[in-house]
Amino acid sequence: MKTNKINLDAMLKPKSVAIIGASREPNKVGHVILQNYLNAGYSGKLYAINKNATSNILGVRTYQSILKIKEAIDLAVIAVPAQAVPSVLEECGKAKVKSAIVITSGFAEIGNVELQDKIVEIANKYNIAVLGPNCLGVVEPRSRIDTLFLPTYKLSHYKVGNVSFISQSGAIGSTILDIISDEGFGLSKFISYGNAAVLDEVDLLHYLMNDQETRVVVAYLEGIKRGKEFVKVAKEIGMKKPVIVIKAGRTSAGSEAAHSHTASIAGNYEVEESIFKQSGFIVAHDISELLDYAKIFDTSPEPKGNKVFIVTNGGGAGVLTTDAIASTKNLSMAQLSKNTQEKLREVMPDIVNIRNPLDVGGDADYKRYDDALQILAKENSIDIYIIIVLFQTPGADSKVVESIIKFKEQVDKPVIGITIGSEFTQAHKKMMESAGIPVYESPKAAAMSISALVWYYNYKKERMNLIKS
Amino acid sequence: MLMDFMKAKDLLKKYDIKVVDSIYVNSAEEAIRFSDGDAIVLKLISEKAIHKSKAGLVKLNLKHEDEIKSAYEELKKRGTRLSPYKILAQRMVNEGIEIIVGGKEDNEFGKVIMIGMGGIYVEAYKDVSMRLVPINSADAIDMINEIKAKDIITFNGEAEPILVNLLMKFSKLLNEHKEIKEMDINPIKINKDSYNAIDLRFII
């Protein structure tokens, strides 16, 4: 949109919603959306619009046109055929609807630019914040908004939290929405913005930057529309909260008309990635990385430095993790003070070598973990803890998890878990994650995520120092 | 259009960026006089040639009069296909690691600055990093940290202040000169405590 000062509260926290194109037919998009709204337990005023209206659909009062509704409408969800969208949106304008989500596809994505331009024209004329077309819309668990036309039984249910997603692609968005239910963080806002005819990534980042309920932003971008404005908002939001970004189109070739080495190397993707880094964004290269980063940023306090200490009940896993830490550019292994070493020596059995990684032994139980962690909690040279638990060993059980959770609550430093295994392990992983400990299933994923965490806070610190000086 | 080398040299001078001693020569004799017994380099400069060394348009380490003379004649011969061209004589710089500092106007986002391993390695390794201009000193440090061969180009960190300083100067230059569409300063020869820009290529 022309202005950045856009408030999307009408769309994400609406007091009243009209679903235009609501249908009795269970396989119609307009039916699923209405059903999902009802399932989500939306407590505001809900209206259904169907031009062949009968008195109600799914028990919701139904009107022939939005103009027939007397009360003010915050949000219209539009799921009518593409050709009908402009006239429906025009009616929304006349009815002073504040925001609209156009779910319908069949616009610029298939070359129908003219029809899309009509939407833009009407949106500007009536000052309606329009999301889409060709999108999934939004999910806002706090206000129980769910405009997705995906049957709820196909999607695992997300938790309420502080991570917000914006996604140009609907399919990637819904995949993420499905798999985050298994991750240790909850959702604040999910916004699928499709063709970005009116509201684009600049508007959305601007909104999320100021959103108190968003701690971490995750963005899946395909094209960036307003380069210069994007750079501006990116730099601003980067200083405020972590943004994790994945950008499609990595393989784009450099400029063909290049007359220099620089121009032939600096293709679109390379330039975009540079801008992300310059803004403090964390660049992910696939969806699993995106989620790995999201959970560490959502749960971890700012690390005070880059020194990592590893506690493990498996020697091999400890060594692999040490290697993974060493292969990052910005992390190093913490060195224990003499005092801590002596204290550990007193309580650990002889088989335990007092060093980093600290292998507490394959026979370690909760008591062993607890003894070690209580001493390590007081060690100043450690900035970040990695706790590896291989739950296949006899002593590793939910009491070990309790020791770790107790420890996590004591220290104001990032505590990261690594567990590798199937069902029994997964159950314990979930316990730790629900206590705010990000748990990874590979040393590499853990190391990369910690590296990103340290990189981001260092980025911020360096720039704060520049502003001060 | 390629900016004339001497204009490019003056532009760098304005931003306090050092360029190796260079003149145009119109004869082998002029080149010999410029050499005055020291090793020099002769280069053919033409809009039609980006990869000068690959195309055999750079003659290195010429000391004796007959070396200079035969190199000059050979470049002249090659030049017939690359007309219009000029022949540049420069002091030979033996010491140092070659880096590139580049720039380009991106249609979507604006002017970009780039640093990386230079010389003939630029396109082979693509060990480079970029940022939008203007950059701050923290950006410059990040750019250097992103280079895989960081330890080589910074002499294990010793030359980092020089590189940061260079990047800040080039950022200012690129930011203030909207007419520059592309820039390759390649190579710049870096030492622990000094540097020399050798080849300057601005597309305006």
Side-chain angles (χ1 to χ4, degrees):
Chain A
M1 267 188 120
K2 280 179 208 139
T3 165
N4 276 334
K5 301 277 177 287
I6 182 148
N7 191 339
L8 294 179
D9 283 348
M11 184 178 290
L12 291 156
K13 300 196 173 290
K15 293 190 181 67
S16 50
V17 178
I19 295 176
I20 307 180
S23 167
R24 277 180 188 285
E25 309 289 325
N27 56 349
K28 285 263 173 77
V29 167
H31 182 90
V32 181
I33 294 172
L34 186 60
Q35 184 67 64
N36 283 357
Y37 248 89
L38 294 169
N39 290 351
Y42 174 64
S43 60
K45 285 190 180 143
L46 186 61
Y47 304 92
I49 315 286
N50 184 316
K51 70 176 190 312
N52 310 310
T54 47
S55 59
N56 75 70
I57 298 172
L58 290 166
V60 176
R61 178 135 190 227
T62 304
Y63 297 80
Q64 276 185 316
S65 157
I66 197 155
L67 290 166
K68 299 256 166 83
I69 303 173
K70 294 281 175 286
E71 295 90 50
I73 302 290
D74 281 344
L75 169 65
V77 182
I78 300 175
V80 300
Q83 290 303 328
V85 170
S87 62
V88 163
L89 194 62
E90 184 88 36
E91 285 184 1
C92 288
K94 285 178 183 152
K96 297 197 166 54
V97 171
K98 292 190 189 112
S99 69
I101 298 172
V102 182
I103 306 286
T104 314
S105 56
F107 295 85
E109 82 279 8
I110 57 157
N112 211 344
V113 180
E114 246 174 73
L115 198 61
Q116 186 161 315
D117 286 345
K118 276 189 196 161
I119 294 182
V120 179
E121 204 185 299
I122 298 163
N124 288 336
K125 183 172 157 194
Y126 293 101
N127 200 22
I128 316 170
V130 174
L131 192 71
N134 184 33
C135 71
L136 283 179
V138 301
V139 176
E140 215 292 28
R142 282 183 181 83
S143 48
R144 295 175 179 261
I145 294 291
D146 180 345
T147 74
L148 272 51
F149 56 84
L150 308 168
T152 36
Y153 70 88
K154 289 191 172 179
L155 233 61
S156 291
H157 211 69
Y158 39 81
K159 297 179 279 287
V160 180
N162 296 298
V163 179
S164 288
F165 289 87
I166 64 170
S167 176
Q168 208 156 356
S169 153
I172 296 277
S174 56
T175 307
I176 289 175
L177 205 54
D178 189 17
I179 53 185
I180 60 166
S181 61
D182 276 339
E183 297 291 339
F185 58 86
L187 185 69
S188 176
K189 315 275 181 305
F190 170 88
I191 305 170
S192 147
Y193 62 102
N195 293 3
V198 180
L199 291 172
D200 59 23
E201 51 282 336
V202 175
D203 301 307
L204 300 177
L205 287 176
H206 207 275
Y207 177 77
L208 294 175
M209 175 167 74
N210 298 317
D211 178 35
Q212 298 297 322
E213 292 161 354
T214 298
R215 183 163 180 212
V216 180
V217 177
V218 177
Y220 173 87
L221 305 176
E222 281 174 357
I224 294 168
K225 282 190 149 183
R226 295 179 286 159
K228 303 238 157 84
E229 283 130 292
F230 180 85
V231 170
K232 203 163 158 266
V233 72
K235 284 190 176 173
E236 220 179 315
I237 191 173
M239 289 298 287
K240 284 201 171 169
K241 48 186 86 170
V243 178
I244 299 149
V245 66
I246 187 163
K247 171 73 175 55
R250 264 185 107 179
T251 47
S252 71
S255 155
E256 281 176 21
H259 297 286
S260 60
H261 292 295
T262 306
S264 70
I265 294 174
N268 297 342
Y269 183 82
E270 289 76 12
V271 172
E272 282 163 352
E273 188 167 283
S274 305
I275 291 165
F276 296 149
K277 289 179 189 163
Q278 194 165 5
S279 311
F281 287 16
I282 294 93
V283 182
H285 296 108
D286 63 34
I287 292 173
S288 66
E289 254 181 51
L290 201 73
L291 298 171
D292 285 344
Y293 293 149
K295 70 180 172 191
I296 199 168
F297 278 99
D298 185 41
T299 51
S300 300
E302 175 173 351
K304 293 180 181 74
N306 69 344
K307 302 276 190 297
V308 179
F309 194 87
I310 302 168
V311 180
T312 179
N313 65 344
V319 176
L320 286 176
T321 306
T322 307
D323 287 347
I325 293 295
S327 64
T328 66
K329 275 186 166 181
N330 59 347
L331 302 179
S332 62
M333 297 288 278
Q335 302 280 344
L336 295 180
S337 66
K338 204 131 197 104
N339 182 32
T340 302
Q341 287 183 34
E342 281 163 10
K343 282 188 176 156
L344 282 169
R345 186 68 285 160
E346 275 169 36
V347 297
M348 289 291 116
D350 290 345
I351 52 151
V352 174
N353 269 321
I354 307 302
R355 56 172 187 154
N356 184 9
L358 184 72
D359 179 0
V360 292
D363 61 340
D365 59 1
Y366 77 96
K367 179 80 172 49
R368 185 91 52 83
Y369 270 96
D370 203 49
D371 288 346
L373 291 174
Q374 288 306 312
I375 294 167
L376 291 164
K378 299 187 185 80
E379 172 61 65
N380 288 327
S381 69
I382 302 171
D383 301 311
I384 298 146
Y385 297 89
I386 297 180
I387 303 171
I388 304 171
V389 189
L390 301 178
F391 282 98
Q392 294 83 359
T393 61
D397 54 19
S398 43
K399 282 181 142 180
V400 170
V401 172
E402 275 174 41
S403 294
I404 296 170
I405 293 172
K406 184 177 80 181
F407 170 73
K408 150 88 185 172
E409 279 160 10
Q410 272 173 289
V411 293
D412 187 26
K413 295 174 183 177
V415 177
I416 284 90
I418 297 177
T419 60
I420 308 160
S422 58
E423 274 177 57
F424 187 77
T425 299
Q426 293 298 325
H428 289 88
K429 177 189 172 198
K430 282 203 168 156
M431 286 181 212
M432 286 198 263
E433 294 211 318
S434 55
I437 301 167
V439 181
Y440 295 90
E441 294 181 42
S442 90
K444 192 185 166 203
M448 282 177 69
S449 304
I450 297 168
S451 173
L453 185 77
V454 169
W455 179 85
Y456 173 71
Y457 284 102
N458 189 56
Y459 168 93
K460 244 173 98 168
K461 200 175 76 194
E462 294 292 335
R463 270 112 195 126
M464 294 301 279
N465 289 342
L466 280 181
I467 295 164
K468 276 185 225 150
S469 67
Chain B
M1 193 179 78
L2 183 67
M3 188 191 286
D4 175 73
F5 186 92
M6 290 304 161
K7 275 194 186 150
K9 193 182 158 204
D10 289 344
L11 181 60
L12 263 56
K13 206 177 159 195
K14 220 177 100 188
Y15 287 86
D16 197 26
I17 300 166
K18 277 182 283 177
V19 179
V20 68
D21 205 3
S22 318
I23 62 161
Y24 284 133
V25 289
N26 293 307
S27 66
E29 287 68 34
E30 276 183 43
I32 290 164
R33 234 177 292 140
F34 174 73
S35 149
D36 196 23
D38 292 338
I40 62 161
V41 179
L42 289 178
K43 288 177 182 172
L44 184 141
I45 296 181
S46 160
E47 190 127 7
K48 290 168 191 162
I50 307 182
H51 300 279
K52 281 199 284 287
S53 46
K54 257 193 228 164
L57 302 176
V58 179
K59 302 289 170 195
L60 294 166
N61 210 9
L62 311 166
K63 211 163 176 181
H64 299 295
E65 290 189 9
D66 48 343
E67 280 175 346
I68 296 172
K69 204 164 178 171
S70 70
Y72 184 88
E73 296 307 329
E74 196 191 327
L75 286 181
K76 269 202 88 163
K77 215 179 286 164
R78 285 177 188 263
T80 45
R81 281 180 300 112
L82 299 167
S83 191
Y85 69 90
K86 282 178 177 170
I87 293 177
L88 185 75
Q90 297 184 304
R91 294 265 164 242
M92 179 77 196
V93 182
N94 279 315
E95 298 292 301
I97 299 290
E98 296 191 333
I99 64 157
I100 180 172
V101 174
K104 96 160 204 183
E105 172 73 36
D106 182 272
N107 294 336
E108 198 62 46
F109 298 101
K111 198 76 68 67
V112 175
I113 184 169
M114 180 183 96
I115 186 171
M117 280 282 271
I120 56 171
Y121 301 110
V122 180
E123 294 206 26
Y125 292 139
K126 294 191 173 67
D127 188 7
V128 299
S129 60
M130 325 163 196
R131 292 294 184 269
L132 280 186
V133 301
I135 57 168
N136 57 39
S137 58
D139 292 329
I141 291 167
D142 284 351
M143 287 178 79
I144 295 162
N145 282 336
E146 276 174 36
I147 304 292
K148 292 187 195 82
K150 177 200 166 191
D151 289 346
I152 298 174
I153 68 165
T154 63
F155 293 83
N156 292 313
E158 269 188 79
E160 191 179 280
I162 292 181
L163 295 179
V164 170
N165 190 267
L166 262 178
L167 283 171
M168 299 293 283
K169 285 175 179 170
F170 273 112
S171 164
K172 190 158 187 279
L173 184 155
L174 287 166
N175 197 38
E176 288 174 356
H177 287 269
K178 305 292 174 207
E179 75 282 7
I180 297 169
K181 300 286 170 248
E182 297 174 31
M183 173 184 95
D184 274 353
I185 310 298
N186 179 38
I188 300 175
K189 284 213 174 188
I190 298 283
N191 287 294
K192 280 180 193 173
D193 47 12
S194 67
Y195 70 89
N196 258 304
I198 311 282
D199 210 61
L200 324 175
R201 198 176 164 82
F202 286 97
I203 308 295
I204 46 175

